[in-house]
Every structure is written in C-alpha cells, then in structure tokens.
C-alpha cells in the first residue's frame, strides 16, 4: 500500500482473502470441486503487476512558502547550512505580473508527486501546503535524510536577468565533511534530469555550463545525506519563461520531464 505522507507510514491490514475467526471454532472442510466446478481460489483476482518505481522513496521539496513574506524574523534566523550558517529561508522570486515562485513551486511539485506515485514511488513532500512558513533549509534536507530517500529534488524558479532564459540543475559541490558521500550520485542525478528536461526548456543562457551548476553554498544540499539536486525550472523575470511558468499545460509537460529524469536515475542498473 502506497503512503504519501509527511508523517508516519501506513497502517497494516489483513492479507487479501484472509478471514478472521473471532469465535475460535474450526472451519468446516470445503467440498472438492466436481467436474465443471471451479475452486474458490481460482476466481481470485490476479496479483497486481509491480509498478516501475515500487519500493523507491522520493522527496520533493517545493521551494519557499506562501507565508514567508509575513514572517521576516522567522525566515531570517540563522540555521546550520554546512560549515557556516545561513538564513532559514527566503521569500522567492516572482514574474513581472506578480505570480510568486512559491505558488509555482507548490503547483509543479504536486504534479510531479502525482506522476511519481502513479509509477509506484513513495513520495514525501517537505511542506503540506502553500500557506505556512519555511521549513528552514536544514529542515528540508533533514526530511529527506529521515526518509532515507533514494533521491531528493528541490523545485524552484530563478530570478535572473530579464534578458536571460532557460533552466539549470544545481548539484552539490565538494564541501569537506558534508557532501563527499553524495557528490557522485547527485552528479548523475543532475545529468539525468538535465537530459530529460531539455526536451521542454533550453539550458539557461545566463549561467551554468550546459544546464549544470555545482554549488557549495546551499544548505539544502550541504546538509543532505541522500542524493539531491535543485532544479531551477526557468527564469521568472524573463517574459518567455514567465509565459511558460504561468501556463498549466506547460507545467504538465515540465512535470512529465521531471518524472522522466527522476525515473531514469532510479531505474539505472
């Protein structure tokens, strides 16, 4: 049974076809089927085929949150982010028309969650809605660590120069004592995600090398013990990208590409 929750796992149940015997009496023997008859077990539904991502746990982290703008003191507090401390969180970017990044991140994350779940993955979101504050960057990483996730992705949209457009994937750089165990798997994850996402969006033309960027200053990566990347889906301040980000049909295409990239990584031999 699939459990999509930020909290505990799912409750157990009796095996299919099992019948409790509360009185403790012995069951009567079943008659042997005669010619032309079918045993009861022969009518049972066939077992469900295993879905491609069954057994995989994915943490999807929608960047920022809807209440951050009204909680300056809370999101500005310093928290562990690797060798140094950083602000708990930030407000995020927005398009020229005022569409906020936190809302985009939440919407796209739900679309990704649904597609991953349909493929059999257990999906954990780092926040339950778009009305709260935070969580802090170290807490977002810890959610993935506690879930012992096979992979984690933080979904964002950039606030770059208005003349630049495109996406980039941020992978952890080497931070002694922090990121060494996840460097190689995170790099592979970043490449798989990039190679799928380029089908719906060009590489960023204002930073990063062929759609990849390696950073050592992000607490969400530095504090992670599981393979993790950030995806900057597009530039909210660019008119072409903004038109895509505000289009629900395009967000569906983006969710499909993200799911394909994560699946490509998870299904590697």
């Amino acid at each position: 049974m699939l459990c999509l929750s930020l909290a505990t796992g799912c409750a157990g149940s009796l095996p299919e076809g099992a019948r409790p015997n509360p009185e403790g009496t012995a069951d009567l023997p079943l008659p042997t089927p005669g010619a032309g008859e079918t045993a009861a077990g022969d009518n049972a539904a066939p077992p469900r085929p295993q879905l491609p991502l069954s057994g995989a746990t994915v943490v999807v982290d929608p960047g920022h949150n809807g209440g951050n703008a009204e909680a300056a003191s809370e999101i500005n507090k310093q928290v562990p982010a690797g060798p140094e401390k950083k602000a708990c969180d930030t407000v995020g970017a927005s398009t020229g028309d005022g569409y906020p990044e936190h809302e985009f991140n939440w919407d796209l994350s739900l679309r990704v969650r649904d597609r991953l779940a349909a493929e059999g993955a257990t999906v954990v979101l780092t926040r339950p809605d778009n009305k709260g504050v935070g969580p802090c960057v170290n807490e977002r990483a810890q959610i993935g660590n506690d879930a012992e996730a096979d992979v984690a992705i933080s979904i964002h949209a950039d606030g770059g120069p208005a003349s630049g457009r495109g996406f980039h994937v941020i992978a952890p750089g080497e931070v002694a004592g922090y990121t060494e165990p996840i460097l190689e798997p995170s790099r592979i994850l970043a490449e798989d995600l990039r190679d799928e996402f380029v089908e719906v969006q060009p590489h960023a033309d204002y930073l990063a090398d062929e759609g990849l960027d390696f950073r050592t200053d992000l607490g969400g990566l530095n504090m992670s013990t599981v393979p993790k990347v950030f995806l900057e889906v597009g530039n909210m301040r660019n008119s072409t990208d903004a038109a895509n980000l505000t289009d629900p049909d395009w967000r569906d295409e983006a969710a499909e590409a993200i799911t394909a990239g994560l699946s490509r990584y998870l299904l590697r031999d």
Side-chain angles (χ1 to χ4, degrees):
M1 180 169 68
L2 180 64
C3 179
L4 303 181
S5 174
L6 290 172
T8 59
C10 301
S13 59
L14 287 172
E16 185 176 356
R19 294 178 298 169
N21 192 353
E23 298 181 20
T25 56
D27 291 330
L28 294 176
L30 295 173
T32 302
E37 294 181 301
T38 304
D42 293 341
N43 289 329
R48 294 181 180 179
Q50 189 175 47
L51 294 169
L53 299 183
S54 293
T57 298
V58 181
V59 168
V60 178
D61 174 31
H64 311 293
N65 207 333
N68 284 8
E70 304 301 322
S73 61
E74 188 170 349
I75 66 168
N76 285 327
K77 69 180 180 181
Q78 298 292 294
V79 300
E84 300 179 358
K85 291 186 176 183
K86 291 189 68 174
C88 164
D89 203 1
T90 59
V91 173
S94 63
T95 67
D97 293 334
Y99 180 54
E101 182 191 350
H102 62 78
E103 185 174 329
F104 168 80
N105 297 339
W106 176 247
D107 179 273
L108 183 56
S109 293
L110 294 183
R111 294 170 194 258
V112 172
R113 177 202 62 182
D114 292 348
R115 285 161 173 78
L116 290 169
E119 293 296 313
T122 297
V123 184
V124 179
L125 293 173
T126 58
R127 53 185 174 99
D129 53 43
N130 194 40
K131 302 174 183 178
V133 178
C136 295
V137 293
N138 59 318
E139 294 170 327
R140 292 173 188 264
Q142 192 60 46
I143 289 169
N145 300 345
D146 290 343
E148 297 182 350
D150 296 286
V151 65
I153 180 172
S154 188
I155 293 178
H156 287 260
D158 203 12
S163 59
R165 65 163 304 208
F167 82 95
H168 64 284
V169 186
I170 304 172
E174 184 172 357
V175 180
Y178 290 89
T179 62
E180 292 101 332
I182 66 168
L183 283 177
E184 183 63 13
S186 296
R187 180 191 62 79
I188 295 171
L189 168 62
E191 291 174 350
D192 285 343
L193 187 59
R194 174 200 59 186
D195 292 347
E196 293 291 342
F197 203 75
V198 76
E199 298 296 323
V200 297
Q201 176 82 318
H203 299 152
D205 58 15
Y206 59 96
L207 78 156
D209 181 16
E210 294 297 310
L212 294 182
D213 193 14
F214 296 89
R215 290 177 59 175
T216 60
D217 62 327
L218 296 178
L221 297 179
N222 292 345
M223 303 300 290
S224 179
T225 60
V226 303
K228 184 175 182 180
V229 296
F230 279 47
L231 173 62
E232 296 282 0
V233 177
N235 180 10
M236 301 200 89
R237 294 174 181 163
N238 175 271
S239 59
T240 302
D241 277 2
N244 285 336
L245 300 178
T246 55
D247 179 0
D249 291 335
W250 188 88
R251 292 199 295 270
D252 274 336
E253 294 181 22
E256 291 285 353
I258 294 170
T259 302
L262 296 174
S263 298
R264 182 168 170 173
Y265 174 82
L266 291 167
L267 296 175
R268 280 180 172 274
D269 294 332

